[in-house]
Amino acid sequence: MIRVGGLICAVVLTAGFTPALTAETCTTQSQMTPADRDTLAAAASSLASKIQADDEAGIKASTIAEFQGNFTGIAQAIAATSAKVKTEKPQVDGLYLLDASMLKAGPGGNPDASFSCPLAHSASEVDFSIPQLPPGKYAFATVWMAGASPWQLSFLMRQDAGKWLLAGLYPKPATANGHDGLWYWKTGRNYVAQKQTWAAWLYLQEAQQLIQPAGFMSSTHLEKLQTELSTAAPPAVANGISADAPLVIQGPAGQEFHITSLNVVDALGLDVAAHIKVDALGDAAAARKRNIDAAVALVTAHPELRNSFHGVWVFSDAPGNAPYATEFAMADLK
């Protein structure tokens, strides 16, 4: 997954997931043979180095056949990530062997696969729930790209003809506004203790975004965070928000704003990002006025956000148009 300018894009093997009750097996890094560990680490490091070099052709040649014919999404992720990690030395910091070779495709296609990976000398475990997975031997690797603004590159790989090939690419920044996921988790907990529920909920969202390498991967650690996030959610968003179930905020002139998503972006600073549903954008002046009114309405309804964030991004979403986006510093929202 990659985050650029507050937008999130993903390159995945399949879409959506449902845990499956199967007997797939997982081997953690500490349980691997030295040969397996070295081979996987080398494959992941090679992919990371090719991303640094913006070597689209090299990565395409190291990708499973199913993706080589439709490489556009991966190519875009490579181009967007390359400049972010160009000068850092790849450091492999997580490896898992995922054996799904006993899976059998049925009339409806490939089955879902679940892998449970107990960690050595610990009560914790890592789990993978991957939908519609073709039979085969897979591996998941995370590569740390250290630096002033560190990134994490995660790869799903499949063994084809004795080679480990790319089957899923998930690049993402490891920090936001200079802080890592654990910092956001701890700060979110502090907001919970202070009963600042909206700030707590948004900070815990950011913690999850930074800590989770890919959407189909979970762990004892992440499940605890998810429980805290669900518990911290204000009643108005406890069941989630979407275009079909928006958060409705009253504006300064009595108008209603239908917020379809609310999260955090690291752009000009740590900002709240709100998408609002509109019937039409109108001209630029009208669209900007509507956006600032929506931002004022949001921080007026939830004033704790003023002290927790640098500003507010508002994205007006109208049918058939690209979002109209504007950013406002908190000092300008009066």
Side-chain angles (χ1 to χ4, degrees):
M1 183 171 288
I2 180 166
R3 189 181 207 164
V4 182
L7 301 178
I8 297 177
C9 309
V11 181
V12 297
L13 185 65
T14 52
F17 66 87
T18 303
L21 300 175
T22 56
E24 292 74 62
T25 62
C26 172
T27 304
T28 61
Q29 185 169 326
S30 64
Q31 298 168 324
M32 293 178 196
T33 66
D36 283 341
R37 189 164 52 245
D38 291 347
T39 299
L40 285 176
S45 293
S46 176
L47 288 170
S49 295
K50 287 181 172 65
I51 289 176
Q52 286 183 301
D54 197 14
D55 183 4
E56 179 182 329
I59 295 179
K60 186 173 183 178
S62 301
T63 297
I64 60 174
E66 296 95 306
F67 281 177
Q68 288 194 16
N70 184 16
F71 199 69
T72 303
I74 296 177
Q76 290 173 346
I78 294 167
T81 305
S82 176
K84 309 289 186 181
V85 300
K86 194 170 288 293
T87 63
E88 313 304 336
K89 182 178 180 180
Q91 302 173 29
V92 178
D93 66 354
L95 293 170
Y96 301 87
L97 270 173
L98 309 174
D99 190 348
S101 56
M102 300 303 292
L103 284 176
K104 303 294 183 183
N110 294 310
D112 299 341
S114 292
F115 304 89
S116 179
C117 313
L119 302 180
H121 312 297
S122 171
S124 300
E125 68 178 38
V126 172
D127 299 306
F128 298 86
S129 297
I130 308 178
Q132 303 172 29
L133 189 70
K137 289 188 176 180
Y138 293 85
F140 188 82
T142 56
V143 180
W144 184 261
M145 311 296 285
S149 298
W151 275 60
Q152 184 180 72
L153 307 180
S154 297
F155 306 102
L156 184 65
M157 298 180 287
R158 189 175 76 201
Q159 191 177 57
D160 284 357
K163 296 181 179 180
W164 286 104
L165 302 179
L166 181 68
L169 170 59
Y170 315 90
K172 62 192 300 183
T175 61
N177 200 37
H179 299 291
D180 64 12
L182 288 177
W183 184 90
Y184 282 96
W185 193 346
K186 292 176 182 177
T187 305
R189 284 176 169 174
N190 290 338
Y191 283 130
V192 169
Q194 297 166 23
K195 301 188 184 305
Q196 297 188 34
T197 56
W198 288 91
W201 179 62
L202 288 167
Y203 270 63
L204 291 173
Q205 277 192 62
E206 186 63 14
Q208 183 182 55
Q209 167 63 27
L210 291 170
I211 292 172
Q212 187 175 31
F216 55 75
M217 180 181 180
S218 186
S219 67
T220 306
H221 191 59
L222 281 164
E223 287 174 359
K224 184 176 182 181
L225 172 56
Q226 179 59 51
T227 298
E228 293 185 28
L229 175 57
S230 298
T231 302
V237 294
N239 295 321
I241 58 176
S242 65
D244 294 327
L247 171 67
V248 180
I249 300 288
Q250 295 291 326
Q255 69 272 53
E256 286 188 349
F257 296 103
H258 291 232
I259 299 176
T260 60
S261 73
L262 194 65
N263 50 37
V264 176
V265 294
D266 179 16
L268 304 178
L270 190 71
D271 293 331
V272 181
H275 280 257
I276 61 173
K277 183 179 180 180
V278 301
D279 294 329
L281 293 180
D283 61 32
R288 179 176 175 82
K289 177 64 165 57
R290 180 176 53 237
N291 280 12
I292 195 168
D293 285 348
V296 169
L298 179 63
V299 299
T300 299
H302 307 297
E304 69 195 65
L305 299 178
R306 290 186 179 274
N307 296 324
S308 308
F309 295 94
H310 161 266
V312 178
W313 279 88
V314 177
F315 298 82
S316 288
D317 298 318
N321 291 275
Y324 181 85
T326 44
E327 190 270 348
F328 308 100
M330 288 297 181
D332 297 328
L333 301 177
K334 300 175 181 178

